[in-house]
């Protein structure tokens, strides 16, 4: 942390600024020039509050030098984290892990059928929503507990680990028992109460990036989970909100490179939610792998036109199979194993 | 709801589209031209799923004609809603209601002192955070239950109703008992589980607009609360996330006009969080009232430079008093009573 | 300008960084700590290239302390600039200047009629487009030179100075002769070639903010004009592009406060283009004045439903007259003279 | 074009709406239901003005069914356009065309050296700025005519066609003579005067997407050029402005898929400007090719740390060579020829 004083600062203001830094547990290095006086922090500045320092009288500007996340930071954990999600499946560490399945669990036939189809094409895990975050209270809200039960049947039939969204802390004990990967949706990325509770779970967490979250905020949300003891965090880029409305969101593939550099956590990409159009899924899935993603999460539905949710962005099992065939050489091209 | 078919649609696709609309409970009006075939819904189309219709084969485009919210919609409730928040204070209906107080409750001296000061200047209610949503898990997270207790002391000392944020459904019984207005923060605006539970409370809810929520999504979140039976929703514009970073957020005052037209719910404006700079609060508060806001929520701290949270955007009791003096003629200018 | 070195910098890298700063004409103050080494510039750092310094090896971060604009900067020109636009009309310095007129000049009857109507209601200047920037090459492109001639007739009939957009440097000699205020549209805000040429004109320039320009970029574009010798720049906030699409753009009234603080230039607000809806113009005009704008530019059309351009956001002369009646007490409320 | 009337429309309003459509040259199909009345246009609706129809009294909503661009539209030109840029180099049609070179031409040694290096690694064309759009009037503005002369020397030495930015119509005759591909920068994407003039040139045009331009606006700007007779337009995605500021812009690779579907024009990607960080160029270049881009434009500088412009995002000739080695298998993977 570096503080630059205003040209007209007083001695008292300087003292206050130095004291505020020292109270944060750092030593202060003072550099006085004819026009510019600078204070630099020596030591662990993680307890310094940038915002609070900014508002001190006589302070012109404050610059943070180090990132505010620690457990998620690659600096303190240079090796890639590899997350085991059960069923012998890992995310990170050279694998390209493809998670596939419908937006919502609708029926036994649907979820077991899709699970078998995507497994046959090479998917490593099954996604499917039982609790659905919907913009409208009048839209289908998911089948709830019955949906979880159906996911477990699909798992029994295929051996695929299951990934499903948690929306309420009330469901945590049940998720702890039934689910392999706990998904935190984009709209709950800064539901800090839920993040803390999920941080006390023993399950891997798939943390989607918020609709308008910066990369740093996203990593800070991972830090919330990790600070409670759960280090099994998989990041998921799913598009951000911009002015462009041809696509549902704007997929930010540069974020994949960014988090792979800033953090040791694996990152998967959701091209389905990002684009909102089934015909764009293949192209963006290919691009995501080329950008270095550790995996993909893809919406596959046996009958997209009659899906209860997100049909427009779901591909069919046949299209998924064709996509997987294209992903093999792509994975090889970037040194990943599919 | 209006559907336009693709030029090359088949008879079967047309039948499917008609059936999908009829299953949603509407009568279908068919209009066949040489090039364009259009299907119009007659009757209550609220159960029609726009997204699902869009993905039907043979469908070119779907246009919704009516808004997806009902209870929050001014069409079905032409008169302004007026929300009673206790202590004889109302929001909406010609009143200009000013809610003031610190970002966080820090100590008895602080909260009681600020409460007395803002009351003396004409504030109608006291704000103060006990549970704080912070980007970093390492930042001050609020004093929790102790903060609520201190707010109640400030209420006892001044008679001001208290407004404070709810972050977890665990606290609902306690909030039901202790708090006058339940604030739902921007980051939880689409925490649908929490919205539903708050919708079963008997307390007024101050619903902040999400960081990147459209006006329609915001009203749909109000609809979530209202659909569970709680009609006492106060909307709060607090700035949206844009590319501009001179201000913390971009205050969208046109949203005030928009929701006053689209909805009957009252709307207040939070210039403090919007701008993030204390020196901008007065100007934007004045503009918000001129734009037609029903109230303001303003951060006031006795010692901003040492505030544990959001000091940079807090004004002092003296500055608040000066602002109130300016708001009186402004309220009069737009026909509001302060 | 302050440079923070990377922890592992070499002596050679330090030397290079110091030399790069010195070549920019400043003295360098070196502050070496156990962990952090900081270089501070003493003297005029306007010739230092932040971007270039950032990329030097061994450099962790560069922080600019002073703004990159000088002539537009209030620091070096503390008093408000007041711009004389002819006909005894001034922008800035306590006046509230209202510029009104149609989006496009369409006919003699239309422009003279609107000019007379808005003058009668108290407008100080007439706007009207002769050269129109349209998204589509197939849309009406304005009447060109004939439009300028009609504006001059309206000026002759009313005495109102005329404000109209310049799109091509080819028209500069003609604009120099015929026009009172040269408008640079949002889409040309970073047409640097045009800015430089307008900077050599003797006419006041109304510089609209770009669709997605930061406040700093906007002031840098003003600086382009001023650096060529033309200090008569009037800034115009007209809404920025965000994810929200209920309004055409999002009017950023906090930008009014920001530029009034950062710069001495006057700023006017265009609520018509910002909102894109005639019914929102009055409310946002009121809010703009409350926020401290020095003026307004408002689209008024005698027959909005048949306007060749932007009818949806144009108000009628009758509505304009009603707005002016409301603006009088509002101007008084904020100490401005209308 | 489809119009939906308001529930309470009058007979006169209906007549007006029908007449307005008919004046645009289409036949009108009327569909009257108990609640909803719909007007559908039959025939070429390209002359209908959506905005003007929207504002007619009694009109609830207007929906455009077809795209507003024609010459750029794949519907009317199903085959990919292939643009010949000289020296036997083509853009589009199965080729992966890599354009490389420094941000700015600085000296003969620099530009000839970089040209030789990138040619040796397989670049097909040379980029280099002679006229530079800079945010600050005090920053290096390019070497102008001298820069063009140096580009011609580099072309003479290597045979590479040259791509350079045009900022002012004054330079058009000289560009027509000296330059192979005329670049229109992001900031001039809606400089309609320049677009029209470039549309009368005989040279291929590389049209960068504006900082906050929608895909449709971008294609409309291509349409401006094509409507004047110049069909040799190459689109260039270079990142859009969002709230995220880790990267300079957010590269929107879904736009590549979108324009390849909506239009027949080739599209290249500029990962250098998109990310603003040299270390991200390789990853995003790979992703761009995977997404289906027809080419890349990459900033390469012999000495990035001392570049006069954009050094932070420039890679070295050595890094470029390594990138080209990786692009070969990637191109093969997506069926392109490098």
């Amino acid at each position: 942390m570096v503080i630059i004083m205003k040209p007209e600062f007083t001695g008292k203001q300087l003292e206050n600024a130095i004291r505020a830094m020292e109270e944060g547990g750092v030593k202060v290095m003072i550099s006085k020039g004819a026009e510019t006086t600078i204070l630099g922090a020596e030591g662990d500045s993680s307890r310094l509050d940038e915002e609070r320092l900014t508002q001190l009288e006589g302070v012109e500007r404050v610059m943070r030098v180090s990132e505010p996340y620690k457990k998620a930071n690659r600096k303190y954990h240079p090796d890639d984290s590899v997350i085991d999600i059960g069923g012998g499946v890992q995310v990170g560490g050279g694998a390209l892990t493809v998670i596939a399945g419908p937006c919502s669990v609708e029926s036994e036939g649907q979820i077991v059928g899709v699970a078998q189809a995507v497994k046959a094409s090479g998917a490593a895990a099954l996604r499917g929503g039982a609790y659905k975050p919907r913009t409208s209270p009048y839209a289908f809200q998911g089948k709830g507990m019955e949906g979880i039960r159906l996911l477990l049947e699909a798992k029994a039939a295929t051996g695929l680990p299951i990934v499903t969204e948690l929306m309420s802390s009330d469901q945590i004990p049940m998720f702890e028992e039934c689910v392999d990967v706990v998904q935190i949706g984009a709209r709950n990325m800064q539901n800090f109460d839920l993040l803390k509770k999920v941080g006390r779970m023993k399950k891997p967490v798939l943390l989607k990036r918020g609709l308008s979250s910066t990369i740093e905020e996203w990593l800070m949300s991972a830090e919330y989970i990790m600070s409670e003891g759960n280090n099994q965090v998989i990041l998921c880029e799913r598009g951000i909100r911009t002015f462009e409305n041809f696509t549902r969101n704007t997929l930010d593939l540069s974020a994949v490179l960014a988090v792979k550099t800033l953090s040791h956590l694996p990152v998967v990409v959701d091209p389905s939610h990002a684009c909102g159009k089934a015909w764009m899924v293949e192209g963006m899935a290919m691009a995501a792998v080329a950008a270095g993603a550790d995996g993909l999460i893809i919406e596959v539905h046996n009958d997209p036109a009659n899906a209860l949710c997100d049909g427009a962005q779901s591909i069919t099992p046949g299209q998924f199979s064709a996509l997987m065939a294209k992903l093999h050489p792509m994975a090889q091209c970037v040194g990943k194993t599919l």
Side-chain angles (χ1 to χ4, degrees), chain A:
Chain A
M1 196 83 77
V2 173
I3 288 183
I4 291 145
M5 299 300 292
K6 285 189 174 158
E8 69 278 17
F9 72 91
T10 66
K12 182 128 189 285
Q13 290 167 347
L14 183 66
E15 274 171 44
N16 278 342
I18 292 169
R19 191 172 48 241
M21 292 177 85
E22 288 174 345
E23 283 171 10
V26 298
K27 284 183 64 179
V28 181
M29 184 175 70
I30 306 166
S31 165
K32 273 195 193 184
E35 299 159 13
T36 314
T37 293
I38 302 171
L39 308 179
E42 296 270 303
D44 175 14
S45 64
S46 65
R47 281 171 51 216
L48 287 182
D49 186 337
E50 184 183 1
E51 190 197 299
R52 195 173 158 196
L53 294 173
T54 303
Q55 64 193 276
L56 292 175
E57 285 177 49
V59 168
E60 173 80 32
R61 218 163 276 211
V62 177
M63 176 163 51
R64 216 180 46 212
V65 182
S66 52
E67 295 83 12
Y69 41 91
K70 286 186 274 187
K71 301 201 170 203
N73 198 329
R74 189 177 279 278
K75 273 187 196 156
Y76 311 117
H77 187 304
D79 295 332
D80 283 356
S81 281
V82 180
I83 315 285
D84 193 317
I85 63 169
V89 178
Q90 293 187 323
V91 184
L96 180 67
T97 310
V98 180
I99 305 164
C103 181
S104 294
V105 180
E106 296 172 12
S107 69
E108 184 176 334
Q110 176 237 25
I111 191 68
V112 175
V114 171
Q116 287 169 331
V118 299
K119 185 180 184 183
S121 302
L126 176 68
R127 61 150 292 152
Y131 298 89
K132 298 296 308 170
R134 303 300 300 273
T135 304
S136 167
Y138 309 122
F140 173 59
Q141 307 275 312
K143 294 185 88 75
M145 188 56 222
E146 168 68 3
I148 301 289
R149 197 186 62 72
L150 296 175
L151 282 169
L152 288 172
E153 291 205 16
K155 180 181 176 179
T158 59
L160 294 176
I162 55 180
V163 183
T164 195
E165 180 165 352
L166 175 71
M167 286 179 66
S168 165
S169 56
D170 301 350
Q171 270 84 43
I172 286 181
M174 187 266 286
F175 268 61
E176 190 75 76
E177 197 178 316
C178 304
V179 163
D180 297 298
V181 179
V182 176
Q183 179 178 318
I184 298 296
R187 286 164 187 78
N188 278 324
M189 194 204 85
Q190 291 194 317
N191 178 346
F192 300 117
D193 182 67
L194 192 61
L195 296 179
K196 285 180 188 172
K197 286 173 178 163
V198 164
R200 290 175 221 128
M201 292 180 74
K202 305 263 175 286
K203 296 283 180 181
V205 179
L206 183 95
L207 179 66
K208 290 205 156 188
R209 182 179 182 186
L211 275 76
S212 66
S213 294
T214 61
I215 289 167
E216 188 170 299
E217 287 169 344
W218 188 19
L219 291 173
M220 288 307 283
S221 287
E223 189 82 12
Y224 256 96
I225 297 168
M226 299 171 86
S227 71
E228 296 286 334
N230 188 347
N231 289 322
Q232 303 172 77
V233 178
I234 302 163
L235 300 166
C236 178
E237 161 64 29
R238 43 77 73 205
I240 54 173
R241 183 160 274 183
T242 70
F243 62 84
E244 177 61 68
N245 55 20
F246 181 82
T247 43
R248 187 170 172 177
N249 298 284
T250 298
L251 185 62
D252 179 11
L253 288 179
S254 53
V256 172
L257 275 80
V259 296
K260 295 294 290 177
T261 299
L262 297 169
S263 177
H264 52 89
L265 297 173
V267 59
V268 302
V269 170
D270 177 348
S272 309
H273 280 86
C275 298
K277 294 179 194 290
W279 64 266
M280 299 183 92
V281 169
E282 182 180 295
M284 295 316 284
M286 294 285 274
V289 174
D294 295 298
L296 296 166
I297 179 162
I298 295 190
E299 291 199 349
V300 179
H301 196 284
N302 52 321
D303 182 10
N306 289 302
L308 293 179
C309 174
D310 280 354
Q313 70 199 32
S314 295
I315 60 176
T316 62
Q319 290 165 331
F320 179 72
S321 171
L323 168 60
M324 290 299 283
K326 292 199 173 179
L327 287 176
H328 273 99
M330 179 57 75
Q332 204 173 2
C333 189
V334 294
K336 286 256 176 21
T337 310
L338 176 60

